[in-house]
Amino acid sequence: MYSSQMLDFIKTVEATREDRFKNEPRRLDANEKQALLKEFHPDHRDSGFGTIEVGNNKGEKAPVELVELLHANSRIKGIKFDFDSPKYDVDVLIIGGGGAGASAAIEAKKAGANVMIATKLRMGDANSTMAEGGIQAADNENDSPQQHYLDSMGGGHYANKPELLKRLVMDGPDAIHWLENLGVMFDKKTDGSMVTFPGGGLSRNRLHACADYTGLEITRVLINEVRNLDVPIVDFTAALELIMDDKGKVAGAVLMNMLTGEYVIAKAKTVIVATGGAGRLHYHGFPTTNHYGATADGLILAYRVGASLLYQDTIQYHPTGVAYPTQLFGALVTEKVRSIGAQLVNIEGEAFVHPLETRDVVSSAIIRECGQRKKGITTPDGAGVWLDTPLIVKKSGASMIEKSIPGILKMFLNYGIDIRKLPILMYPTFHYQNGGIDIEKGGHTKEVQNLFMAGEVVGGIHGRNRLLGNSMLDVVVFGRHAGKAAAEAAKTTTIGKLTLNHVDEYTRKLKDAGIDNDKTSPLLLPNYVRKLHKA
Amino acid sequence: MDTANVNVKLSEFAKVFFDGKPYDVPAELTIMTAMEYAGYRLVRGCGCRHGFCGACATIYRIEGKSPVHFALACQQKVEDGMYVATLPFFPLDRRTYDMEEITPDNQTMMQIFPEIFGCVACNSCTKSCSKGLNTMQYIAYAKRNDLKKCAETSFDCVSCGICSARCPANISHSLVGLLARRLSAKYLTPKSAHTHMRTKDIADGKFDDEINKIMRMPMDDIKKLYDTREIEK
């Protein structure tokens, strides 16, 4: 529950509600947005970034936490492995048990491949499960793939790779149709047509949802389908390095049982890396909406075999992370709360930004409000601004909250805050890595044969800022595509002699660059032991 | 701000017991963050850390009091005198099925999950649900093949497994809910005609010209188009 001082501040929010209800804040023009981002978005800070000293992206900027992992030693440096009798020998090895890995497994299996999944924690311990708001697809009559393309390209600051974005928008409706056929419970009208919502940076109401559990509902259905297809799932098993063959193709991975430390060799004709994001690296010290295992492992694995990073310096901070209560610090409050009418309001009761600007713009505006303008509300963990949820009730009635965002309603009720009656305190939180590994339209890396990537680990689809609902779509579209493509490539692949020479070579490159430390990567899990870490 | 490990003033501590051993932890922490603060390095029993994944099923009792409580460790604030046991894994009884073969008729639920008919209505599942769901009710809906109601009532389930650990009839509740939801969504809800139509039109190449046109457009023209586009109200 709120302190008495916070309750006093809420009176100011209530006092301006009627006026804000009638006069929505205006949208910024292109120049105003650029100026705001340049001054306040964390991507534009001088501190918190370092320079990559080895590999294809040598000389480029990246968050210091990522640079440290790229410059760290292999976890298997100096260890000799017996490749003659691998524990697993498959056509397609999928690393990662989220939405992309599950989508890939279904399609690879249906294409006739012998496929397995290795995942660091449990199947479904993934950001996909945590997606709340929805999934985009241009399936309404007043909408089109090219309109979806335009919105995403503008939102991504025109940096999206056109061929990847084309696949995303053109395959979008089919992805929804596929999920519907698998038995995903989308929000629908009585005639079966989809309920679609507006969202930040969207010019059409294109967001499909399953209440505010969209990711959970989609992911659990996908995983259930993976189990029904009898795809082996090896859980609590992390990938430490990819294995190559003597012809330079990717040919498996060195895995490790997370509970016993045992090394396990998986030989595979093709590998799909679907390891997700990096929120648990806490760039710039931000809290995160991400799951426990989001530690950029896939970026490290792929970079060490010679793949390239793209836009590794651009991160999405979700505008509405929880600033209070402390037990929920950094947790996601879906953008859908703004889609259905809530505004962001400062300590003086002003709506200081249009609620449906793109995420980078809204986050920058909140950071400015709490920092330079000193119009934030002080909390035990820092500061925040109000998200005026009772405005939704004023616009559409309490049932809108109960039906559309029941998860958020419950999350705050658990701490004695009824969002139908009281606004909530928000501050940006590390939500998504916009960048990742650079892939071709076929889903594979340009540099390394038989290495496929899908999901958040990929860079380029979303340019330098992703729109809401485009990641759930990307996970399904590119996961499915990678599964089909990897199964197809496996048909004509003959594996040569297995080798880890690339690991030695990377070690030599580090040495040549004068880098000498005792750190190891991939990180696998963050270290919160004996720390006062929140959420 | 901008820091995950901020120095806050610690006004209060709570004494909690993890697996029977006492620890003094800041009272504002959750069970999960308190375990880490105390020195546990979690591998099992920790997933999304935000209440969606069900990895951190937890059972606790307050010292000197009788009731046993059930929660997700990432969502539950610690209390003084809390005795905590975690349930990082529970062996659910999984069944596989082909969604294209099965139908939403009376036989399906009975054949795939016959144990639901052994429910003794003890209500332990409902009382132990970490999400506060009416679990016994959704099992009752499944028994009478009211799949839609079962789907709606079970929708918020995160499959933490506590109900199944408590159930004297050995029911794997979360899997029953999942089957009901898939059947209900696939067979009992009308299909989205506009989605199917659009999928077909794209496959037939009806949008090829338009998408290729925008892909070939000079960037300045795309920018102009973006900045002046109409936004649906």
Side-chain angles (χ1 to χ4, degrees):
Chain A
M1 195 43 198
Y2 289 122
S3 67
S4 57
Q5 192 193 27
M6 285 171 176
L7 288 171
D8 273 348
F9 288 143
I10 288 174
K11 287 180 187 149
T12 311
V13 179
E14 288 166 347
T16 62
R17 190 171 291 142
E18 184 65 35
D19 187 49
R20 286 183 286 105
F21 175 62
K22 288 181 195 143
N23 306 298
E24 194 156 71
R26 71 174 180 90
R27 289 180 189 257
L28 301 177
D29 68 29
N31 292 332
E32 288 171 316
K33 283 188 231 176
Q34 279 314 316
L36 178 62
L37 290 172
K38 206 151 186 285
E39 198 172 353
F40 294 99
H41 196 280
D43 283 357
H44 294 282
R45 288 180 191 172
D46 293 329
S47 63
F49 291 97
T51 305
I52 302 169
E53 304 284 359
V54 292
N56 297 343
N57 298 80
K58 189 172 167 175
E60 291 182 19
K61 172 178 141 176
V64 286
E65 295 82 358
L66 181 60
V67 171
E68 187 176 284
L69 295 176
L70 290 167
H71 289 177
N73 301 289
S74 170
R75 284 174 171 267
I76 57 169
K77 191 174 156 185
I79 302 174
K80 293 275 173 260
F81 292 93
D82 172 15
F83 291 137
D84 290 338
S85 48
K87 180 157 183 181
Y88 304 105
D89 190 348
V90 294
D91 295 334
V92 181
L93 167 66
I94 297 169
I95 302 169
S103 299
I106 293 167
E107 292 293 3
K109 179 81 179 186
K110 294 211 154 163
N114 175 14
V115 53
M116 69 173 274
I117 297 176
T119 185
K120 182 167 66 177
L121 296 169
R122 303 174 317 156
M123 196 68 193
D125 285 343
N127 290 345
S128 307
T129 300
M130 309 166 75
E132 294 171 2
I135 176 167
Q136 282 200 60
D139 61 353
N140 279 327
E141 209 168 320
N142 72 344
D143 199 2
S144 66
Q146 62 269 24
Q147 194 70 22
H148 188 180
Y149 185 98
L150 180 65
D151 287 346
S152 305
M153 192 52 103
H157 302 289
Y158 310 99
N160 316 50
K161 281 182 85 170
E163 286 293 342
L164 299 183
L165 184 54
K166 176 186 177 183
R167 182 177 295 281
L168 183 80
V169 301
M170 292 292 273
D171 288 1
D174 184 53
I176 301 291
H177 184 58
W178 184 68
L179 293 170
E180 180 191 43
N181 199 45
L182 283 172
V184 168
M185 273 176 69
F186 284 109
D187 295 348
K188 286 184 169 184
K189 296 171 196 159
T190 46
D191 67 352
S193 61
M194 297 282 173
V195 175
T196 50
F197 295 90
L202 271 56
S203 65
R204 298 289 182 273
N205 298 348
R206 191 185 294 132
L207 193 71
H208 304 61
C210 316
D212 55 353
Y213 285 115
T214 310
L216 174 66
E217 168 63 4
I218 289 174
T219 311
R220 65 193 174 191
V221 166
L222 291 173
I223 293 172
N224 186 233
E225 191 62 15
V226 169
R227 293 191 201 279
N228 282 346
L229 292 170
D230 283 328
V231 173
I233 297 166
V234 183
D235 64 1
F236 290 96
T237 299
L240 303 184
E241 294 293 349
L242 296 173
I243 299 171
M244 301 187 81
D245 74 359
D246 55 356
K247 302 286 187 292
K249 305 192 297 288
V250 159
V254 177
L255 309 175
M256 183 186 76
N257 182 325
M258 292 288 285
L259 302 162
T260 66
E262 181 197 1
Y263 297 118
V264 180
I265 303 298
K267 185 177 174 181
K269 288 177 180 163
T270 57
V271 177
I272 301 172
V273 174
T275 49
R280 293 285 158 186
L281 300 184
H282 298 290
Y283 297 157
H284 299 288
F286 272 86
T288 185
T289 59
N290 286 189
H291 80 106
Y292 190 39
T295 52
D297 297 1
L299 303 187
I300 308 299
L301 297 175
Y303 198 68
R304 283 211 186 113
V305 295
S308 299
L309 296 163
L310 182 65
Y311 308 143
Q312 69 281 355
D313 57 336
T314 118
I315 297 302
Q316 178 161 92
Y317 299 90
H318 197 291
T320 51
V322 178
Y324 182 89
T326 193
Q327 293 81 12
L328 300 174
F329 188 53
L332 176 64
V333 170
T334 172
E335 187 167 334
K336 206 170 154 196
V337 179
R338 283 173 284 136
S339 296
I340 59 175
Q343 291 175 347
L344 289 158
V345 178
N346 66 20
I347 197 165
E348 289 170 7
E350 299 162 334
F352 56 89
V353 65
H354 190 285
L356 292 183
E357 296 282 9
T358 53
R359 286 177 176 173
D360 51 355
V361 169
V362 179
S363 284
S364 300
I366 296 172
I367 289 169
R368 176 177 64 186
E369 216 63 20
C370 292
Q372 190 201 57
R373 286 184 176 172
K374 298 189 171 29
K375 289 185 181 179
I377 292 88
T378 303
T379 67
D381 298 304
V385 295
W386 297 110
L387 181 61
D388 190 14
T389 45
L391 192 58
I392 301 170
V393 179
K394 194 170 172 59
K395 283 182 178 171
S396 315
S399 68
M400 181 57 119
I401 287 184
E402 289 146 16
K403 270 190 213 149
S404 300
I405 49 170
I408 299 297
L409 174 62
K410 266 191 202 165
M411 182 163 100
F412 280 90
L413 276 178
N414 195 20
Y415 289 95
I417 296 166
D418 185 341
I419 66 168
R420 291 168 293 198
K421 299 186 180 117
L422 297 169
I424 46 182
L425 283 165
M426 301 287 116
Y427 194 82
T429 177
F430 182 170
H431 188 53
Y432 189 81
Q433 60 180 12
N434 293 312
I437 296 293
D438 192 9
I439 61 166
E440 302 291 289
K441 67 176 175 181
H444 56 277
T445 61
K446 188 167 62 190
E447 299 86 352
V448 195
Q449 206 184 333
N450 289 351
L451 175 59
F452 296 80
M453 318 285 297
E456 191 176 344
V457 73
V458 171
I461 302 165
H462 310 291
R464 303 184 75 87
N465 175 61
R466 176 180 63 78
L467 298 182
L468 89 164
N470 265 355
S471 64
M472 269 325 288
L473 181 60
D474 143 16
V475 149
V476 176
V477 165
F478 286 87
R480 291 181 70 192
H481 181 69
K484 290 178 198 168
E488 186 59 30
K491 284 181 189 163
T492 53
T493 295
T494 314
I495 304 177
K497 192 173 179 301
L498 299 191
T499 167
L500 285 168
N501 283 348
H502 59 282
V503 177
D504 297 336
E505 198 184 316
Y506 194 86
T507 304
R508 200 160 47 244
K509 279 185 195 161
L510 289 174
K511 201 172 162 219
D512 290 349
I515 295 162
D516 182 17
N517 59 60
D518 58 1
K519 304 247 164 49
T520 56
S521 65
L523 186 63
L524 307 183
L525 291 175
N527 184 6
Y528 299 144
V529 175
R530 292 195 181 82
K531 290 177 186 165
L532 190 61
H533 177 81
K534 308 284 182 68
Chain B
M1 206 60 204
D2 289 15
T3 168
N5 298 312
V6 282
N7 294 312
V8 294
K9 226 200 293 172
L10 301 175
S11 48
E12 264 183 81
F13 273 75
K15 176 174 278 184
V16 294
F17 299 81
F18 298 129
D19 300 329
K21 258 182 97 55
Y23 298 90
D24 287 318
V25 299
E28 82 259 23
L29 295 181
T30 62
I31 293 173
M32 178 174 287
T33 52
M35 287 182 82
E36 290 172 330
Y37 178 87
Y40 279 75
R41 182 167 176 79
L42 303 175
V43 178
R44 277 203 183 270
C46 177
C48 76
R49 304 176 70 98
H50 290 298
F52 292 96
C53 82
C56 59
T58 299
I59 302 165
Y60 67 91
R61 172 175 265 149
I62 305 298
E63 191 174 19
K65 289 182 184 166
S66 170
V68 175
H69 303 272
F70 306 89
L72 297 175
C74 71
Q75 298 294 294
Q76 183 64 46
K77 195 168 166 285
V78 293
E79 278 177 58
D80 209 37
M82 198 181 234
Y83 271 83
V84 177
T86 56
L87 184 69
F89 177 77
F90 187 81
L92 294 177
D93 196 358
R94 297 188 187 282
R95 313 283 157 78
T96 56
Y97 41 85
D98 183 342
M99 283 300 293
E100 298 299 325
E101 298 285 321
I102 60 175
T103 58
D105 70 24
N106 281 326
Q107 295 300 310
T108 301
M109 203 46 100
M110 202 183 290
Q111 279 166 0
I112 298 177
F113 294 112
E115 63 275 18
I116 59 175
F117 294 93
C119 170
V120 296
C122 69
N123 211 30
S124 294
C125 51
T126 301
K127 283 190 277 189
S128 65
C129 181
S130 64
K131 298 291 282 185
L133 303 185
N134 194 346
T135 315
M136 193 175 85
Q137 184 62 58
Y138 83 65
I139 295 299
Y141 287 136
K143 281 162 68 177
R144 70 177 88 135
N145 208 42
D146 191 339
L147 299 175
K148 272 196 161 174
K149 283 225 170 89
C150 181
E152 283 161 18
T153 315
S154 68
F155 188 77
D156 291 3
C157 169
V158 295
S159 202
C160 72
I162 300 176
C163 52
S164 301
R166 300 286 285 176
C167 179
N170 303 321
I171 296 168
S172 291
H173 308 68
S174 64
L175 303 180
V176 174
L178 180 57
L179 174 59
R181 289 193 300 275
R182 290 191 69 182
L183 282 170
S184 172
K186 184 173 169 64
Y187 293 113
L188 303 177
T189 312
K191 296 280 187 215
S192 175
H194 64 97
T195 309
H196 188 221
M197 181 79 82
R198 180 57 53 83
T199 302
K200 199 172 161 296
D201 285 349
I202 290 173
D204 291 346
K206 289 193 184 162
F207 289 91
D208 286 358
D209 289 349
E210 289 299 323
I211 196 78
N212 290 333
K213 190 173 134 200
I214 196 168
M215 283 178 74
R216 279 198 296 267
M217 209 178 263
M219 206 44 95
D220 280 346
D221 293 358
I222 294 191
K223 285 182 184 174
K224 203 178 286 167
L225 202 57
Y226 179 76
D227 289 334
T228 56
R229 76 204 197 290
E230 264 199 42
I231 296 180
E232 183 179 356
K233 281 285 171 193

